[in-house]
Amino acid sequence: MTKSLNREQIIKILLVNDIKPSLQRISVMQYLDSHRTHPSVDEIYNALSPDMPTLSKTTVYNVLKLLVSKSLIQQLTIDDKKVLFDINTEKHAHFICKRCGKVLDLAMPKNENETYGTQSFMLDGNYIEETQIYYKGICNECLKKINN
Amino acid sequence: MTKSLNREQIIKILLVNDIKPSLQRISVMQYLDSHRTHPSVDEIYNALSPDMPTLSKTTVYNVLKLLVSKSLIQQLTIDDKKVLFDINTEKHAHFICKRCGKVLDLAMPKNENETYGTQSFMLDGNYIEETQIYYKGICNECLKKINN
DNA sequence: TTTAGAATTGTAATCATTACAAAGTTGTAA
DNA sequence: TTACAACTTTGTAATGATTACAATTCTAAA
């Protein structure tokens, strides 16, 4: 379990990555750090909006794109409706429940060549920058509901 | 390399799966079988449309959803812009080039538990129906272009 | 030949995402 | 401190994929 980051730590992370620590950028980082449920743009925007009345959804898009480009967060395409974001850069796989839409972290399957996650490597002449493992099915909780 | 299917074989596959072999369904299957480039709904529609003037894009959506529900084809979410489809149900991973958008088949990484592809299994109490491995980076051909 | 159910079609609606230009903010050099 | 340029944020409009839905067409069995 990763300890959650305080504001100062987030600012440091942004500065180290040549990102000016604006209030909007800090807020998005902070939200992602404290809500590791793979939120969408809308979830982030709706959550921050009440305390930041002038926040624009475009800004959320802009900030997320910037953070992805600096590899501070990961963009997930596991959901065919919308893109999701994950601040957890440790090696892990993702599972999406086809019934409730929830996305869970799962352990990476054991593998001989340690080539998962953000590490870059060559494969058949192609330059691989990211590896994502997506499991799709029915989650624990939905299984219980179905059996009742 | 899988040999391409003829019309009769496609009809048989549909019938075995309790799908009435309409012209539209046969055509979509045939297109997917002979174009293993992971086409999108639009690509399929645009390709078939000239020879089937009354074809509706909604029908292409309907047919693809039906084929996915019968596990005759696989739906890929590797591209964050649109959903792609693959008739190849053998175990394999996918690579998308962030520059040109091309999606290639790659070999599955070697793994101890043979749990990839369409096989179902339980993981942490969740029922996994599909496993997809997505590589994202720059393809062979784009690398060459960049170096010139 | 009739008819009910299934399949197809076209249009309109929805929703995520992007484009873009205007307004606001910040840091720095004079 | 001031002025300016670069950067950031914002709001609106446009785009594009996907879905909803009702009308039409097709099919197969009685």
Side-chain angles (χ1 to χ4, degrees):
Chain A
M1 197 58 62
T2 314
K3 222 175 96 195
S4 82
L5 303 166
N6 64 37
R7 192 184 175 81
E8 293 313 312
Q9 292 173 307
I10 288 174
I11 291 175
K12 263 181 206 154
I13 291 171
L14 293 175
L15 287 173
V16 164
N17 285 274
D18 295 315
I19 300 173
K20 283 188 195 165
S22 70
L23 181 59
Q24 292 85 344
R25 289 164 175 173
I26 296 167
S27 302
V28 169
M29 276 290 276
Q30 211 150 36
Y31 185 84
L32 284 168
D33 181 53
S34 53
H35 299 83
R36 290 168 179 249
T37 53
H38 320 91
S40 64
V41 172
D42 259 53
E43 282 171 65
I44 299 170
Y45 173 75
N46 292 333
L48 300 181
S49 190
D51 290 329
M52 303 178 69
T54 71
L55 181 65
S56 159
K57 198 177 285 186
T58 302
T59 299
V60 178
Y61 274 100
N62 290 342
V63 170
L64 290 168
K65 180 175 285 188
L66 176 66
L67 297 176
V68 167
S69 78
K70 298 285 188 173
S71 297
L72 293 182
I73 65 174
Q74 205 185 6
Q75 178 176 309
L76 307 182
T77 59
I78 195 171
D79 187 327
D80 58 358
K81 304 295 172 203
K82 52 194 174 318
V83 161
L84 305 178
F85 296 90
D86 190 354
I87 202 174
N88 180 357
T89 55
E90 286 164 32
K91 289 180 185 182
H92 64 290
H94 291 102
F95 166 76
I96 189 167
C97 176
K98 291 177 180 179
R99 197 162 173 277
C100 69
K102 189 170 49 192
V103 174
L104 301 174
D105 287 348
L106 289 181
M108 276 286 186
K110 290 192 188 71
N111 193 267
E112 288 110 43
N113 54 342
E114 292 287 312
T115 48
Y116 288 120
T118 308
Q119 272 174 261
S120 298
F121 60 99
M122 296 299 294
L123 190 53
D124 290 6
N126 307 295
Y127 179 64
I128 316 285
E129 289 172 330
E130 296 168 55
T131 303
Q132 296 178 342
I133 300 198
Y134 293 153
Y135 296 114
K136 306 189 180 188
I138 309 293
C139 77
N140 210 318
E141 291 178 16
C142 282
L143 286 177
K144 282 178 198 156
K145 285 177 195 155
I146 292 170
N147 288 338
N148 287 344
Chain B
M1 199 55 64
T2 314
K3 221 174 98 193
S4 82
L5 303 165
N6 64 37
R7 191 184 175 81
E8 293 314 312
Q9 292 173 307
I10 288 174
I11 291 175
K12 262 181 206 155
I13 292 172
L14 293 175
L15 286 173
V16 165
N17 285 275
D18 295 314
I19 300 173
K20 282 189 195 164
S22 70
L23 181 60
Q24 291 85 345
R25 289 165 175 174
I26 296 168
S27 301
V28 169
M29 276 290 276
Q30 210 151 37
Y31 185 83
L32 284 167
D33 181 54
S34 54
H35 298 83
R36 292 172 176 245
T37 52
H38 319 91
S40 64
V41 172
D42 260 54
E43 281 171 64
I44 298 169
Y45 173 75
N46 291 333
L48 299 181
S49 190
D51 290 329
M52 302 179 69
T54 71
L55 181 66
S56 159
K57 199 178 281 185
T58 300
T59 298
V60 178
Y61 274 101
N62 290 343
V63 170
L64 290 168
K65 178 176 286 188
L66 176 66
L67 297 177
V68 167
S69 77
K70 298 284 188 173
S71 297
L72 293 184
I73 65 174
Q74 205 186 5
Q75 178 176 309
L76 307 182
T77 60
I78 195 172
D79 187 327
D80 59 357
K81 304 294 171 204
K82 55 194 172 318
V83 161
L84 305 178
F85 295 89
D86 190 353
I87 203 174
N88 181 358
T89 55
E90 286 165 32
K91 288 179 185 183
H92 65 290
H94 291 103
F95 166 77
I96 189 167
C97 176
K98 292 176 179 181
R99 197 162 174 277
C100 69
K102 189 170 50 190
V103 174
L104 300 174
D105 288 347
L106 289 181
M108 276 287 185
K110 288 191 190 72
N111 193 267
E112 288 109 42
N113 54 343
E114 292 286 311
T115 50
Y116 288 120
T118 307
Q119 272 175 259
S120 299
F121 61 98
M122 296 299 293
L123 191 52
D124 291 5
N126 308 294
Y127 179 62
I128 316 285
E129 290 172 330
E130 296 170 55
T131 302
Q132 296 178 343
I133 299 197
Y134 293 154
Y135 296 115
K136 305 187 181 190
I138 309 293
C139 76
N140 210 318
E141 291 178 17
C142 282
L143 286 176
K144 282 178 199 157
K145 285 176 195 155
I146 292 170
N147 288 337
N148 288 344

